[in-house]
Amino acid sequence: LLFRDGTLDAVDRDEALLYRREVTNTLKPEAATRDTGEIALRIEQEDIEMALLEFRRDGKYRAMGSFPASVGNPMIMVFYESVVRDMAETAGGSKHYIRNRVKESLIQPAEVETGTATVDGEEIATQTIRLTPFEGDPNADRMMGFGELELSVTMSEAVPGWYVSLVAEAPSPDGSGPVYTSHMTFEGTEQVQ
């Protein structure tokens, strides 16, 4: 479900998918400010169809990369890579170690929760998968709250591009609230200029 092929096949090529990324980081608030913004995904025909990603914040635009559209929606990769980067930047540790633990959790069998969400004022059926990549990790107590990181991906056939929301949350070791959150949420579409 997480890496489903064909999730961009039905997306109108004259529209861009818009996602809002909201980040909080009590240990590095400047990083949270830097990383909060909007991500636009549009599909262009080059030699093959490519999904082009662009980060937008404060009227500025930055290319984030391009990915073969036939593979599916690259937002799942953007989500997990941004969480890996944020965790390494905040808590220290090896990006490779963090990435490998997250990758490992992404391919493990997981329970699928069914539910609903409201998108554009309409209630839609959803499926959610929750992952805890550092559960039982011998280094978890040194991860500044990230040892209890939970990744939650909510998907729906009713949403263009498949992903409704991609959420990462790491609780504070003292229980005072999350030390880190990253919410990527589908916001809608816009016409491509």
Side-chain angles (χ1 to χ4, degrees):
L1 287 176
L2 292 176
F3 295 96
R4 186 175 179 189
D5 285 343
T7 54
L8 297 177
D9 292 354
V11 173
D12 187 331
R13 298 319 193 227
D14 293 330
E15 292 183 333
L17 305 181
L18 301 178
Y19 298 88
R20 179 78 189 152
R21 182 170 191 230
E22 295 282 342
V23 182
T24 62
N25 187 332
T26 60
L27 301 172
K28 288 207 172 268
E30 69 282 359
T33 300
R34 174 196 70 206
D35 296 334
T36 293
E38 187 176 69
I39 300 170
L41 181 158
R42 73 180 190 282
I43 301 171
E44 285 191 1
Q45 180 71 38
E46 295 177 7
D47 292 336
I48 59 171
E49 282 194 321
M50 299 295 286
L52 307 177
L53 297 173
E54 177 179 79
F55 183 76
R56 303 171 178 176
R57 187 170 65 83
D58 298 334
K60 296 179 181 164
Y61 297 68
R62 172 177 52 89
M64 295 178 68
S66 60
F67 306 85
S70 62
V71 174
N73 189 334
M75 287 303 293
I76 186 76
M77 298 302 291
V78 169
F79 169 67
Y80 111 74
E81 278 296 329
S82 65
V83 171
V84 166
R85 182 203 65 219
D86 293 351
M87 180 178 169
E89 181 181 12
T90 302
S94 163
K95 266 191 194 178
H96 299 293
Y97 181 81
I98 296 166
R99 182 178 291 113
N100 287 340
R101 292 295 302 202
V102 172
K103 266 188 191 176
E104 192 177 292
S105 74
L106 290 170
I107 59 171
Q108 294 301 314
E111 193 172 310
V112 178
E113 302 168 22
T114 58
T116 61
T118 302
V119 176
D120 281 338
E122 186 178 323
E123 193 164 303
I124 60 169
T126 62
Q127 300 176 81
T128 301
I129 295 177
R130 296 179 195 287
L131 309 167
T132 50
F134 301 102
E135 185 173 20
D137 189 297
N139 300 305
D141 60 339
R142 297 192 321 229
M143 295 181 181
M144 302 169 74
F146 283 89
E148 294 184 47
L149 179 72
E150 180 181 271
L151 306 175
S152 171
V153 180
T154 301
M155 303 146 284
S156 177
E157 296 278 359
V159 170
W162 183 238
Y163 301 113
V164 177
S165 66
L166 304 106
V167 178
E169 188 167 290
S172 173
D174 65 9
S176 63
V179 69
Y180 169 83
T181 62
S182 172
H183 292 252
M184 288 185 181
T185 308
F186 176 74
E187 295 273 290
T189 61
E190 71 178 14
Q191 286 298 116
V192 173
Q193 304 286 324

